[in-house]
Amino acid sequence: MVVSRSRRARAARRRRARVSAADNDLTTAEWTAIRDAWAACAYCGATGVPLQRDCVLPISRGGRYTLANVVPACRSCNASKCNDEVTSWMRRRRLDEPRFLLRHRELVALLSPA
Protein backbone atom coordinates (compact mmCIF):
# COMPACT_ATOMS: atom_id res chain seq x y z
CA MET A 1 0.00 0.00 0.00
CA VAL A 2 1.38 3.37 -1.01
CA VAL A 3 1.25 6.03 1.71
CA SER A 4 1.12 9.63 0.61
CA ARG A 5 3.93 11.70 2.04
CA SER A 6 2.52 15.11 1.21
CA ARG A 7 2.19 17.71 3.93
CA ARG A 8 -1.61 17.60 3.73
CA ALA A 9 -1.70 13.80 4.02
CA ARG A 10 0.62 13.83 7.04
CA ALA A 11 -1.51 16.49 8.74
CA ALA A 12 -4.67 14.48 8.03
CA ARG A 13 -3.11 11.35 9.55
CA ARG A 14 -2.05 13.27 12.68
CA ARG A 15 -5.55 14.78 13.04
CA ARG A 16 -7.21 11.36 12.67
CA ALA A 17 -4.90 10.00 15.37
CA ARG A 18 -5.71 12.90 17.75
CA VAL A 19 -9.46 12.55 17.16
CA SER A 20 -9.44 8.79 17.67
CA ALA A 21 -7.31 9.10 20.82
CA ALA A 22 -9.65 11.68 22.41
CA ASP A 23 -12.76 10.71 24.34
CA ASN A 24 -15.33 12.01 21.84
CA ASP A 25 -18.84 11.39 23.07
CA LEU A 26 -21.05 13.70 20.99
CA THR A 27 -24.00 11.73 19.64
CA THR A 28 -25.94 12.49 16.47
CA ALA A 29 -28.96 13.44 18.59
CA GLU A 30 -26.86 15.90 20.62
CA TRP A 31 -25.41 17.44 17.46
CA THR A 32 -28.93 17.87 16.04
CA ALA A 33 -30.07 19.51 19.29
CA ILE A 34 -27.07 21.88 19.27
CA ARG A 35 -27.62 22.82 15.63
CA ASP A 36 -31.35 23.40 16.19
CA ALA A 37 -30.77 25.46 19.36
CA TRP A 38 -28.28 27.80 17.67
CA ALA A 39 -30.24 27.87 14.36
CA ALA A 40 -27.31 29.72 12.72
CA CYS A 41 -23.54 29.98 12.77
CA ALA A 42 -22.58 30.39 16.43
CA TYR A 43 -19.90 32.93 15.53
CA CYS A 44 -21.19 35.20 12.76
CA GLY A 45 -24.91 34.34 12.84
CA ALA A 46 -25.09 33.29 9.18
CA THR A 47 -28.30 31.45 8.30
CA GLY A 48 -29.22 29.41 5.26
CA VAL A 49 -25.74 27.90 4.94
CA PRO A 50 -24.57 24.38 5.79
CA LEU A 51 -23.25 24.22 9.34
CA GLN A 52 -20.20 22.24 10.43
CA ARG A 53 -19.17 20.98 13.85
CA ASP A 54 -16.55 23.24 15.36
CA CYS A 55 -14.76 22.68 18.64
CA VAL A 56 -14.62 25.79 20.82
CA LEU A 57 -11.39 24.42 22.28
CA PRO A 58 -9.67 22.89 19.23
CA ILE A 59 -8.71 19.21 19.19
CA SER A 60 -5.09 20.25 18.66
CA ARG A 61 -5.24 22.06 22.01
CA GLY A 62 -6.87 19.23 23.93
CA GLY A 63 -10.51 19.77 22.99
CA ARG A 64 -12.95 16.96 22.24
CA TYR A 65 -16.21 16.49 20.40
CA THR A 66 -18.53 16.86 23.39
CA LEU A 67 -21.80 18.65 24.06
CA ALA A 68 -20.04 21.46 25.94
CA ASN A 69 -17.30 21.98 23.35
CA VAL A 70 -19.06 21.83 19.97
CA VAL A 71 -20.92 24.65 18.23
CA PRO A 72 -22.30 24.95 14.70
CA ALA A 73 -20.14 27.09 12.42
CA CYS A 74 -20.38 28.13 8.80
CA ARG A 75 -17.58 26.94 6.56
CA SER A 76 -15.98 30.39 6.47
CA CYS A 77 -15.81 30.76 10.27
CA ASN A 78 -14.70 27.17 10.80
CA ALA A 79 -11.86 27.48 8.29
CA SER A 80 -10.85 30.93 9.53
CA LYS A 81 -10.76 29.88 13.20
CA CYS A 82 -8.67 26.81 12.40
CA ASN A 83 -7.02 25.87 15.71
CA ASP A 84 -7.04 29.33 17.28
CA GLU A 85 -8.40 30.07 20.73
CA VAL A 86 -11.99 31.21 20.24
CA THR A 87 -11.96 34.51 22.16
CA SER A 88 -8.80 35.92 20.59
CA TRP A 89 -10.01 34.81 17.14
CA MET A 90 -13.37 36.55 17.69
CA ARG A 91 -11.62 39.75 18.79
CA ARG A 92 -9.44 39.74 15.68
CA ARG A 93 -12.49 39.25 13.46
CA ARG A 94 -14.43 41.88 15.44
CA LEU A 95 -17.25 39.47 16.21
CA ASP A 96 -19.53 39.81 19.25
CA GLU A 97 -17.52 37.76 21.75
CA PRO A 98 -19.68 38.45 24.86
CA ARG A 99 -22.87 37.49 23.00
CA PHE A 100 -21.28 34.21 21.87
CA LEU A 101 -19.95 33.33 25.33
CA LEU A 102 -23.27 34.04 27.07
CA ARG A 103 -25.29 32.14 24.47
CA HIS A 104 -22.86 29.20 24.55
CA ARG A 105 -23.07 28.97 28.34
CA GLU A 106 -26.87 29.24 28.23
CA LEU A 107 -27.26 26.49 25.63
CA VAL A 108 -24.79 24.12 27.32
CA ALA A 109 -26.79 24.45 30.54
CA LEU A 110 -30.06 23.95 28.67
CA LEU A 111 -28.91 20.90 26.67
CA SER A 112 -26.84 19.16 29.36
CA PRO A 113 -28.55 16.25 31.07
CA ALA A 114 -29.50 17.07 34.63
Side-chain angles (χ1 to χ4, degrees):
M1 180 170 127
V2 176
V3 176
S4 178
R5 297 183 189 279
S6 72
R7 176 185 244 174
R8 180 178 287 178
R10 286 191 315 268
R13 283 192 298 274
R14 283 193 307 270
R15 177 174 170 72
R16 274 193 301 275
R18 280 194 308 268
V19 169
S20 65
D23 181 22
N24 300 306
D25 61 358
L26 186 71
T27 65
T28 304
E30 288 173 331
W31 166 240
T32 302
I34 291 168
R35 196 179 58 221
D36 292 345
W38 281 96
C41 175
Y43 303 123
C44 70
T47 58
V49 296
L51 298 173
Q52 303 173 347
R53 298 174 193 195
D54 183 51
C55 290
V56 176
L57 177 64
I59 291 172
S60 63
R61 295 179 183 231
R64 303 176 305 145
Y65 283 109
T66 62
L67 181 67
N69 193 44
V70 171
V71 296
C74 66
R75 183 177 179 174
S76 174
C77 286
N78 197 4
S80 170
K81 182 177 162 280
C82 192
N83 66 347
D84 289 341
E85 196 272 326
V86 71
T87 54
S88 61
W89 171 79
M90 290 187 85
R91 288 179 197 144
R92 276 197 317 274
R93 296 266 324 253
R94 293 188 173 95
L95 296 171
D96 193 355
E97 175 192 359
R99 181 196 60 81
F100 166 77
L101 293 173
L102 289 172
R103 181 78 172 137
H104 182 255
R105 181 177 175 193
E106 174 185 301
L107 290 177
V108 167
L110 177 72
L111 297 172
S112 293

